[in-house]
Amino acid sequence: MNNFNFYSPTFFVFGKERENEAGKYVKRFGGTNVLIHFGGGSVVKSGLLDRVKASLTAENIRFTELGGVQPNPRSGLVYEGIGISKREKIDFILAVGGGSVIDSAKAIAIGALYDGDFWDFYTGKNIEKALPVATILTISAAGSEGSTGSVITHENGMLKRAANGDALRPVFSVLNPELTCTLPNYQTACGATDMMAHVMERYFTNTKDVEITDRLCEGVLLTIIKETPKALADSSDYESRANIMWAGMVAHNDICGVGRDQDWSSHNMEHELSGLYDVAHGAGLAVMFPAWMKYVMHHDIQRFAQFAVRVWGCEMDFQNPENTARQGIEKMEQFFASIGMPVRFSELGAKAEDIPTLVKTMGLGKNTLGSFVKLTEEDVRKIYELAV
Ligand code: NZQ
Ligand code: ZN
């Protein structure tokens, strides 16, 4: 196991109706003048926004509202939010929504304390400080409610890029599984796929002797595989929603990834797809992850066979572990298809003729991508071709 630091100070408020306590926690974490940030309207329609505002008012907390975050959140609204925050002397950002809203809130939180362009932090600058961000989560997926990350698409070139830093961990996150019951099945399935991808980016590692995190990863994957079909069959099934919601947090706050090298090339390849076609992140991952696996499996066939046996219940073929490894990947693809995810470019609306553009926009040049296998531009091109 590698040396590691792990600092995960988010306070979680989990369970039914807990959003009504938002005001109390904003106060506890020092917010006095809040920017409430939300998306395209689901939180207005469900009445959640009104409940959150009422809980702030009950604590005499001032607030300003900024809605309109779209999936694959854009730089334009971030600039607007930074402007409002500086002008109104906002001291706390409350994100009410999914990963896109939370990531946009995090970007505003960085930019509000910075004189330059917030985009600097999405092109490599170290994040030292940000306004405190809290979240009221409405979709189990990105894990941004507990993560150090934020992913924004810059409208100049539609570049989708990530920033990471401990200052971006939310100070508190309200996780009420009931809030996810209004999700369309497609979004629930995209979320489940994204969570699985977060675990698998960590699972396929070259670090030896990482039994504890291997087993945590497997447990989270088994949970998502078991609970997602239940939530899809009955959208009001609280218990499956609750298990999925906590799985999404555990999948990405890095408790499953500490002490081991992590890969993240499938995520990077997917970000190019959602940058170009504006597809849902989880759907793009359902297409890219199996292609990546098929391309790199020979690097460590035993790890892929272990994944097949422990996660997908395949029988170990000791004579030919490659058979087992392939079966695991097949079962994963079947699972994605069974929950309504695309597994090929065409199902996603992506086109083979755009592959040179996808590779070029990634801008890898002579560098490599990922860590399990260090991919060159040529490898990336071949993986996109495998996904066609
Ligand atoms: O905008 P509204 O009207 O709220 O609709 C949203 C949106 O259309 C809808 N929705 C959310 N909660 C709902 C609901 N509809 C009905 N009922 C509810 N309770 O769902 C749609 C998708 O929302 P979005 O926030 O985009 O989904 P998700 O949480 O999957 O976030 C995706 C974004 O997160 C990034 C992705 O790249 C993508 O941009 N990621 C962020 C990460 C991080 N910060 O750590 C890591 C991830 O790997 C990921 O890259
Ligand atoms: Zn993701």
Side-chain angles (χ1 to χ4, degrees):
M1 201 188 291
N2 301 335
N3 290 357
F4 65 85
N5 296 330
F6 184 56
Y7 175 67
S8 179
T10 307
F11 187 99
F12 291 100
V13 181
F14 191 101
K16 292 179 183 175
E17 296 175 17
R18 303 296 306 271
E19 65 275 13
N20 297 322
E21 298 169 50
K24 182 175 91 183
Y25 286 103
V26 169
K27 196 173 219 174
R28 184 193 288 193
F29 287 96
T32 63
N33 186 14
V34 177
L35 180 70
I36 305 180
H37 202 32
F38 56 95
S42 73
V43 301
V44 177
K45 204 166 140 203
S46 66
L48 173 63
L49 189 63
D50 283 341
R51 295 203 293 284
V52 171
K53 287 196 285 189
S55 88
L56 295 186
T57 304
E59 299 288 343
N60 295 316
I61 296 166
R62 278 174 62 197
F63 58 80
T64 306
E65 295 172 48
L66 178 63
V69 179
Q70 59 192 99
N72 299 319
R74 307 297 153 87
S75 51
L77 199 66
V78 172
Y79 288 117
E80 195 180 330
I82 293 170
I84 295 172
S85 299
K86 288 184 173 171
R87 215 167 40 243
E88 301 292 326
K89 301 197 174 11
I90 295 290
D91 60 16
F92 197 99
I93 320 261
L94 181 58
V96 186
S100 295
V101 173
I102 300 172
D103 286 1
S104 184
K106 288 178 175 179
I108 295 170
I110 310 171
L113 297 186
Y114 182 58
D115 287 334
D117 185 344
F118 90 93
W119 193 247
D120 294 347
F121 299 97
Y122 292 74
T123 48
K125 191 175 169 64
N126 263 347
I127 300 169
E128 278 159 18
K129 56 183 179 179
L131 286 179
V133 174
T135 85
I136 298 177
L137 186 65
T138 62
I139 169 171
S140 313
S144 193
E145 67 276 14
S147 84
T148 56
S150 161
V151 189
I152 300 291
T153 301
H154 205 293
E155 274 134 325
N156 183 5
M158 296 310 276
L159 297 175
K160 190 174 186 185
R161 298 289 179 264
N164 273 282
D166 277 333
L168 297 190
R169 298 244 197 216
V171 292
F172 76 82
S173 281
V174 174
L175 272 54
N176 174 359
E178 286 177 315
L179 299 179
T180 68
C181 292
T182 51
L183 279 167
N185 270 0
Y186 184 73
Q187 287 298 342
T188 299
C190 284
T193 308
D194 189 19
M195 292 174 205
M196 290 175 69
H198 294 159
V199 176
M200 296 187 298
E201 297 281 15
R202 295 172 163 99
Y203 193 78
F204 292 98
T205 183
N206 295 319
T207 313
K208 301 289 176 217
D209 300 316
V210 284
E211 185 69 6
I212 174 64
T213 38
D214 267 5
R215 293 297 188 177
L216 284 171
C217 286
E218 290 156 8
V220 176
L221 288 171
L222 286 165
T223 302
I224 300 166
I225 294 163
K226 183 172 175 213
E227 301 297 330
T228 302
K230 290 201 244 168
L232 294 177
D234 174 4
S235 64
S236 64
D237 178 353
Y238 178 85
E239 298 303 338
S240 64
R241 296 274 175 195
N243 278 286
I244 292 169
M245 197 164 224
W246 192 241
M249 204 300 293
V250 175
H252 198 41
N253 85 330
D254 215 24
I255 200 155
C256 294
V258 290
R260 52 200 287 151
D261 294 340
Q262 306 182 10
D263 190 71
W264 296 99
S265 48
S266 299
H267 260 71
N268 278 289
M269 288 185 283
E270 192 294 315
H271 284 169
E272 298 309 324
L273 287 178
S274 36
L276 186 62
Y277 303 111
D278 203 14
V279 293
H281 172 61
L285 286 165
V287 173
M288 289 320 301
F289 231 110
W292 174 82
M293 286 179 162
K294 288 172 201 166
Y295 193 77
V296 302
M297 62 189 271
H298 292 104
H299 174 70
D300 186 349
I301 210 75
Q302 287 301 339
R303 181 151 280 275
F304 274 92
Q306 171 181 304
F307 173 70
V309 170
R310 293 187 186 173
V311 178
W312 297 102
C314 299
E315 209 161 302
M316 185 67 185
D317 182 343
F318 290 100
Q319 302 300 320
N320 191 352
E322 184 177 332
N323 280 342
T324 314
R326 282 195 190 284
Q327 273 172 27
I329 299 169
E330 264 168 43
K331 285 206 168 189
M332 186 182 77
E333 279 190 310
Q334 284 162 10
F335 176 77
F336 287 154
S338 76
I339 61 170
M341 286 291 94
V343 283
R344 291 284 174 273
F345 252 44
S346 58
E347 297 169 75
L348 195 64
K351 298 191 198 82
E353 59 261 36
D354 290 337
I355 290 176
T357 309
L358 293 165
V359 175
K360 189 163 167 254
T361 322
M362 186 180 282
L364 206 53
K366 297 266 175 276
N367 295 327
T368 58
L369 181 68
S371 112
F372 183 66
V373 173
K374 291 188 175 8
L375 305 171
T376 63
E377 266 196 345
E378 185 60 8
D379 294 321
V380 169
R381 185 181 61 73
K382 287 182 181 159
I383 295 172
Y384 279 127
E385 282 169 3
L386 275 179
V388 170

